[in-house]
């Protein structure tokens, strides 16, 4: 039902829900992440960096970055909810090629992701939340800009 309607509305609604949830997820992950979780988060970051360097679509590696943080909470319900949410987001992104729409923003996205990683590594939950909230606010604005530019005649 969600993807059957207006895809622009769907992506903005998913972004809104991600903004509500993922900062808290980063906060929890900072207190629960194991060394293996941290390595998985770092690996997802490296994969996205590599995708950018080689001009590949970053939707999958971006999804993996966010999902690896959810897994680091060690809360099955959080993981399941964010998996479903990110799969919806990924489907809309993939079908609309959002990640190719603003390639000049990739360095900023990487910097935002790195700030989240560093806070989680240092077990600084409130800082991880702050960085994730800022990242998703910026991502939401980027998506809105893409939508506005596509809807102009």
């Amino acid at each position: 039902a969600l993807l059957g309607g207006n895809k622009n509305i769907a992506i903005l609604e998913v972004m809104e829900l991600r903004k509500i949830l993922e900062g808290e997820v980063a906060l929890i992950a900072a207190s629960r992440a194991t060394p293996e979780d941290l390595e998985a988060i770092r690996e997802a970051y490296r994969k996205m960096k590599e995708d950018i360097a080689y001009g590949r679509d970053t939707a999958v590696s971006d999804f993996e970055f966010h999902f690896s943080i959810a897994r680091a909470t060690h809360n099955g319900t959080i993981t399941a909810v964010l998996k479903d949410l990110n799969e919806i987001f990924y489907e809309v992104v993939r079908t609309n090629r959002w990640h190719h729409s603003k390639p000049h923003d990739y360095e900023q996205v990487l910097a935002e992701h790195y700030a989240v990683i560093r806070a989680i590594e240092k077990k600084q939950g409130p800082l991880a939340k702050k960085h994730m909230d800022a990242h998703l606010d910026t991502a939401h604005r980027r998506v809105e800009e893409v939508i506005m530019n596509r809807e102009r005649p």
Side-chain angles (χ1 to χ4, degrees):
L2 177 64
L3 295 180
N6 183 315
K7 296 225 190 302
N8 290 339
I9 291 172
I11 190 92
L12 293 174
E13 288 178 350
V14 171
M15 287 298 300
E16 185 174 57
L17 185 54
R18 290 182 66 201
K19 285 170 50 177
I20 292 167
L21 298 175
E22 288 195 52
E24 295 297 325
V25 169
L27 177 97
I28 295 167
S31 68
R32 296 182 184 170
T34 65
E36 294 79 16
D37 294 326
L38 294 172
E39 185 51 38
I41 295 166
R42 287 186 210 106
E43 180 57 30
Y45 173 82
R46 283 191 293 270
K47 176 72 170 98
M48 186 171 182
K49 198 171 181 178
E50 181 182 290
D51 287 346
I52 291 166
Y54 288 101
R56 297 187 296 242
D57 184 16
T58 60
V60 172
S61 54
D62 190 33
F63 167 87
E64 185 55 36
F65 174 78
H66 288 270
F67 191 58
S68 66
I69 294 170
R71 282 193 308 264
T73 66
H74 297 272
N75 178 314
T77 302
I78 289 173
T79 303
V81 167
L82 285 182
K83 181 178 186 288
D84 290 346
L85 184 61
N86 277 304
E87 284 176 357
I88 293 166
F89 180 73
Y90 172 74
E91 182 61 24
V92 177
V93 167
R94 187 185 60 76
T95 58
N96 287 289
R97 299 181 59 80
W98 297 102
H99 281 233
H100 286 296
S101 300
K102 307 270 294 171
H104 58 281
D105 287 336
Y106 283 146
E107 289 303 315
Q108 180 63 35
V109 170
L110 288 173
E112 292 165 3
H113 281 192
Y114 189 71
V116 173
I117 291 169
R118 294 298 296 149
I120 292 172
E121 287 174 334
K122 294 178 180 180
K123 303 217 174 279
Q124 295 176 333
L127 187 59
K129 178 184 180 339
K130 177 183 171 185
H131 286 309
M132 183 62 82
D133 286 344
H135 167 58
L136 290 172
D137 283 343
T138 303
H140 194 160
R141 282 194 301 278
R142 285 184 192 109
V143 169
E144 285 177 326
E145 286 175 21
V146 170
I147 288 170
M148 285 192 286
N149 288 336
R150 286 185 177 184
E151 289 181 348
R152 288 192 184 126

